[in-house]
Amino acid sequence: MKLGIGIGWRPEIADAVEALPGIDWVEAVAENICTGHLPDSLVRLRERGVTVVPHGVSLGLGGADRPDRGRLADLAARAELLSAPLVTEHIAFVRAGGPRVSSPVLEAGHLLPVPRTRDALDVLCENVRVAQDSLPVPLALENIAALVSWPGEELTEGQFLAELVERTGVRLLIDVANLHTNHVNLGEAPATALDELPVEAIAYVHVAGGVEKDGVWHDTHAHPVTGPVLDVLAELRSRVDPPGVLLERDDDFPPAAELAGELDMIRATLNGAAEDAKRPAPRVRPSARAAASTPPDATRDRLAEAQTALLGALVAGGPAPQGFDRERLGVQSRALAAKRAGVVAKVAPELPEILGTGYRDAFLSYAATRPMSGGYRRDAMDFAEQLLVAGRPADAAARRRLTHWWQDRAGAHPPRRTTRLVRAARAALIGR
């Protein structure tokens, strides 16, 4: 299916997206869509014939456990609600722990890389097949950006993606900004990945902005698209004409004119690369879905232990697993905490209002050893609870306001000493 040129639909820029010229389709974060009521903007876009693709972020198909049936049902419902031609997700894990490793479940609040090993690929392939069987439309999976790499990897990114496609028949959503990110952070050449992956399996392409700090590229989706990212897009276009290309922006939204300018740059890059393309069209590779096998539980257990150890180091103050770059783990840990602080400030804007300039430091201190136990709204409640238990904030008026805010949402009084001891013991177990 030919999608054309699109943009990520977000509530903050809904009006701008509707007014942008030349928009053929949009992508909406699946978890932000309520199946009982579509936002009026998406209703109007669909009435105009604009295709809407739901983009999931919480399945964690690269995790050790099989996909949650409830999450799959939710994603399927959104696909049907939108009459979407496909749904998309990520090659990533987003949570770890649980009964398989006898530990509390840890939530990353972020997309984390899957080790490119045979074991991890076996698990991912089965998880993808489970997802495909549960969805009413085709599935496409996105390559992610990474700040850290796993020790002992057996495959390159292109090889990993190629074998995933051959074994499952899944489509690919290639994010050229993520290829650039992995080039800066991990030394992986985008051209090599494009040469190795099956470009004929691409369903569409993401283009997004980021920023480099101290030699590390952060895939922020909050900065303008850069020249190097457009260069990767040109490399991809020289190999294949992608069915769709989409501009992503998730924060610090610019005026509509700037979004239009970025879309024009994307169009110009595609047109220029098309004129220069000299490579023959790639041969479609046969799918090997019939040869699918189920990985033994021991394979999932090994992956669970490894992912739990990594996530514990990133979000729960645990030790760095052997073989990882400790400095880079610190960068990733701080980035995850900063993202949590920013998202919590959005879902609970009263917290930075109550705490003022002290909000960010207080939240980062809290996040250093307290992983997410649920979504961001639960995180906001846990953060406020932790402050109140500690007798903070110091200002009495602010503390009263925070207490009232917490009570309005929890329907109870802040926890007393017994509850605090239980939670302290739980936190200690998480950090083991």
Side-chain angles (χ1 to χ4, degrees):
M1 175 182 179
K2 188 71 174 177
L3 290 168
I5 299 295
I7 189 169
W9 182 91
R10 305 292 183 266
E12 297 90 339
I13 54 171
D15 291 343
V17 168
E18 287 187 64
L20 283 170
I23 294 298
D24 302 307
W25 65 291
V26 300
E27 178 193 78
V29 176
E31 288 79 357
N32 293 343
I33 298 173
C34 176
T35 54
H37 176 71
L38 276 181
D40 292 341
S41 174
L42 286 181
V43 172
R44 290 191 293 269
L45 285 169
R46 291 186 65 229
E47 289 174 346
R48 282 167 40 189
V50 175
T51 298
V52 182
V53 173
H55 184 53
V57 297
S58 66
L59 272 185
L61 291 174
D65 292 320
R66 290 175 179 82
D68 181 81
R69 293 291 182 181
R71 295 179 189 275
L72 283 172
D74 287 344
L75 187 56
R78 283 154 178 78
E80 292 177 334
L81 176 70
L82 295 166
S83 300
L86 77 163
V87 297
T88 58
E89 247 288 352
H90 299 82
I91 302 169
F93 79 99
V94 297
R95 63 188 63 86
R100 190 177 291 276
V101 290
S102 301
S103 79
V105 174
L106 304 176
E107 291 282 347
H110 190 71
L111 303 164
L112 294 176
V114 175
R116 296 179 202 143
T117 62
R118 293 291 175 187
D119 276 0
L121 181 59
D122 288 345
V123 171
L124 174 63
C125 286
E126 188 191 8
N127 288 351
V128 168
R129 289 190 288 269
V130 171
Q132 289 172 318
D133 291 343
S134 302
L135 295 170
V137 294
L139 172 67
L141 295 180
E142 179 180 353
N143 59 303
I144 71 163
L147 290 177
V148 298
S149 58
W150 286 82
E153 291 194 315
E154 300 164 337
L155 300 165
T156 65
E157 180 163 31
Q159 292 167 344
F160 193 84
L161 294 176
E163 190 160 338
L164 172 66
V165 170
E166 290 189 2
R167 291 173 58 176
T168 66
V170 75
R171 306 288 289 174
L172 295 176
L173 192 182
I174 294 300
D175 190 316
V176 294
N178 291 349
L179 291 178
H180 172 67
T181 300
N182 294 345
H183 171 59
V184 176
N185 294 344
L186 309 178
E188 299 175 349
T192 300
L194 291 173
D195 284 340
E196 293 176 339
L197 65 82
V199 293
E200 68 279 359
I202 293 175
Y204 62 88
V205 174
H206 273 175
V207 182
V211 63
E212 187 171 348
K213 296 180 181 177
D214 300 323
V216 175
W217 187 267
H218 296 268
D219 179 49
T220 63
H221 292 192
H223 293 81
V225 176
T226 64
V229 170
L230 293 175
D231 290 343
V232 181
L233 177 62
E235 280 276 358
L236 184 149
R237 178 61 187 90
S238 73
R239 292 159 171 77
V240 70
D241 183 9
V245 179
L246 180 128
L247 172 65
E248 278 192 301
R249 186 76 176 225
D250 291 323
D251 208 349
D252 291 341
F253 299 102
E258 290 186 29
L259 292 174
E262 289 194 293
L263 287 165
D264 287 341
M265 287 194 300
I266 289 171
R267 294 186 183 96
T269 299
L270 291 170
N271 292 335
E275 293 175 2
D276 297 336
K278 298 177 182 178
R279 295 174 182 264
R283 216 159 89 6
V284 176
R285 308 179 191 197
S287 169
R289 293 187 69 178
S293 61
T294 300
D297 284 343
T299 300
R300 288 187 178 272
D301 291 344
R302 287 193 298 271
L303 183 61
E305 290 174 0
Q307 291 181 337
T308 302
L310 175 59
L311 191 49
L314 292 174
V315 304
Q322 185 176 1
F324 281 92
D325 183 319
R326 292 175 184 272
E327 183 177 348
R328 192 55 66 84
L329 282 181
V331 173
Q332 177 73 87
S333 180
R334 290 189 293 274
L336 290 177
K339 178 183 178 181
R340 282 175 67 185
V343 177
V344 166
K346 285 185 175 181
V347 302
E350 301 88 352
L351 293 179
E353 178 187 339
I354 294 170
L355 300 174
T357 57
Y359 164 76
R360 184 176 176 81
D361 286 346
F363 189 91
L364 294 180
S365 176
Y366 153 82
T369 57
R370 293 174 180 265
M372 290 176 63
S373 59
Y376 285 105
R377 297 185 191 281
R378 179 70 258 170
D379 208 21
M381 291 292 293
D382 290 346
F383 168 56
E385 179 181 293
Q386 184 262 349
L387 288 178
L388 294 172
V389 165
R392 299 170 58 198
D395 179 76
R399 191 164 61 254
R400 283 194 299 272
R401 288 184 64 195
L402 184 62
T403 300
H404 293 154
W405 180 88
W406 189 90
Q407 289 175 334
D408 285 345
R409 287 151 184 80
H413 295 292
R416 300 191 183 278
R417 187 171 185 275
T418 302
T419 306
R420 300 202 311 259
L421 290 174
V422 170
R423 286 179 179 148
R426 184 176 64 188
L429 286 173
I430 291 174
R432 286 174 56 183

